[in-house]
């Protein structure tokens, strides 16, 4: 079946602009995660959604970052007033339930803030 | 903040040799996972070892876990050029952590034909 998809693949924006990144998880997966990977670094947890529960936002670096998940499926990560340090690859992952530890990752969105 | 530290940061070997990568972490864990990443894009899950396990095998992969030392190692035997990638360990802290993964910095493996 189809894997996790993300769009756009690449995004170039100017400092101060808002951006929206989209994630389509694997159909039926109830858990969805956003991570950020800066150049040459490991992944940094941002936010986690599980079913209809309140999301775990503990990894969001500032209030310029927000995410929502509509209908328990598609998720959008929004970065307002982008800064150059926001440049990174943003990765989305999903898993069938919280009890299933393996996460399935999308290809990521490479964001460049000029 | 990152929990895991991996070493080496980069490893270059010849095809056919074995590659060993190490990972250390700081807090108690439910399980530890290894992922592979090609060209800085999506990650692929390789293997998961639970906190009550000491060793696990999958094909050419062998993972060990020492919870007393808070460390793990990934061994790739008989390496191939196609194994060239970045390898990350990730720890999962348990049910009350929501399943979020804490990643190490990664080891960049280069296998020369």
């Amino acid at each position: 079946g189809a894997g996790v998809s993300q769009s756009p693949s690449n995004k170039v924006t100017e400092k101060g602009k808002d951006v929206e990144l989209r994630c389509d998880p694997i159909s039926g997966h109830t858990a969805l995660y956003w991570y950020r990977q800066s150049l040459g670094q490991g992944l940094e947890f941002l936010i986690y959604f599980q079913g209809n529960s309140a999301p775990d936002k503990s990894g969001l670096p500032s209030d310029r970052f927000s995410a929502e998940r509509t209908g328990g499926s598609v998720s959008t990560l929004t970065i307002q007033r982008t800064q150059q340090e926001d440049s990174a690859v943003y990765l989305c992952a999903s898993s069938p339930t919280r009890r299933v530890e393996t996460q399935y990752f999308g290809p990521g969105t490479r964001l460049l803030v000029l | 903040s990152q929990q895991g530290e991996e070493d080496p940061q980069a490893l270059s070997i010849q095809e056919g040799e074995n590659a060993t990568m190490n990972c250390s972490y700081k807090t108690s864990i439910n399980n530890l996972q290894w992922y592979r990443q090609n060209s800085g894009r999506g990650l692929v899950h390789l293997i998961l070892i639970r906190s009550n396990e000491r060793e696990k095998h999958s094909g050419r992969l062998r993972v060990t876990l020492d919870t007393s030392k808070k460390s793990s190692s990934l061994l790739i035997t008989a390496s191939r050029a196609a194994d060239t990638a970045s390898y990350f360990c990730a720890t999962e802290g348990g049910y009350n952590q929501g399943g979020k993964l804490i990643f190490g910095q990664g080891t960049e493996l280069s296998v020369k034909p």
Side-chain angles (χ1 to χ4, degrees):
Chain A
V4 178
S5 61
Q6 292 185 244
S7 59
S9 297
N10 295 281
K11 176 72 176 179
V12 181
T13 190
E14 294 179 347
K15 178 181 173 181
K17 295 284 179 69
D18 297 350
V19 295
E20 284 189 353
L21 312 179
R22 176 186 168 108
C23 171
D24 282 86
I26 293 172
S27 178
H29 281 196
T30 60
L32 186 147
Y33 305 81
W34 282 98
Y35 296 88
R36 175 171 74 173
Q37 185 178 29
S38 300
L39 185 64
Q41 300 295 309
L43 278 71
E44 173 189 15
F45 167 78
L46 297 178
I47 188 168
Y48 156 66
F49 296 89
Q50 169 61 49
N52 296 320
S53 302
D56 177 351
K57 304 179 182 179
S58 60
L60 295 179
S62 77
D63 58 9
R64 295 187 295 104
F65 287 72
S66 62
E68 62 178 24
R69 188 178 185 192
T70 54
S73 181
V74 171
S75 177
T76 302
L77 177 69
T78 301
I79 309 173
Q80 296 179 308
R81 305 181 301 282
T82 53
Q83 303 294 311
Q84 289 183 332
E85 59 263 30
D86 299 335
S87 297
V89 177
Y90 289 82
L91 290 150
C92 174
S94 69
S95 68
T97 69
R98 186 165 53 178
R99 279 300 192 186
V100 177
E101 298 99 338
T102 299
Q103 296 183 16
Y104 299 83
F105 281 80
T109 294
R110 191 180 302 277
L111 174 66
L112 178 61
V113 182
L114 300 176
Chain B
S1 63
Q2 299 297 326
Q3 155 146 262
E5 292 185 3
E6 296 182 58
D7 78 276
Q9 291 187 331
L11 179 61
S12 182
I13 60 175
Q14 294 295 130
E15 211 167 24
E17 293 179 339
N18 296 341
T20 300
M21 290 160 267
N22 303 295
C23 167
S24 61
Y25 57 92
K26 297 175 183 174
T27 63
S28 62
I29 61 171
N30 186 44
N31 65 67
L32 185 144
Q33 306 178 35
W34 286 89
Y35 285 80
R36 167 193 167 124
Q37 184 179 41
N38 286 81
S39 305
R41 301 308 287 258
L43 277 73
V44 175
H45 179 263
L46 295 176
I47 194 166
L48 179 153
I49 186 165
R50 300 189 186 285
S51 59
N52 62 353
E53 298 177 309
R54 292 297 167 259
E55 187 171 314
K56 203 161 184 180
H57 297 254
S58 176
R60 293 184 297 113
L61 305 180
R62 172 178 169 255
V63 170
T64 63
L65 178 65
D66 187 334
T67 53
S68 67
K69 296 181 180 178
K70 291 188 168 56
S71 67
S72 174
S73 67
L74 172 67
L75 168 68
I76 303 175
T77 60
S79 64
R80 305 165 181 168
D83 294 330
T84 295
S86 292
Y87 292 82
F88 294 91
C89 68
T91 55
E92 195 252 315
Y95 189 80
N96 63 350
Q97 294 296 309
K100 66 187 179 190
L101 295 175
I102 308 299
F103 283 84
Q105 300 296 310
T107 293
E108 192 173 328
L109 174 66
S110 174
V111 181
K112 301 186 186 306

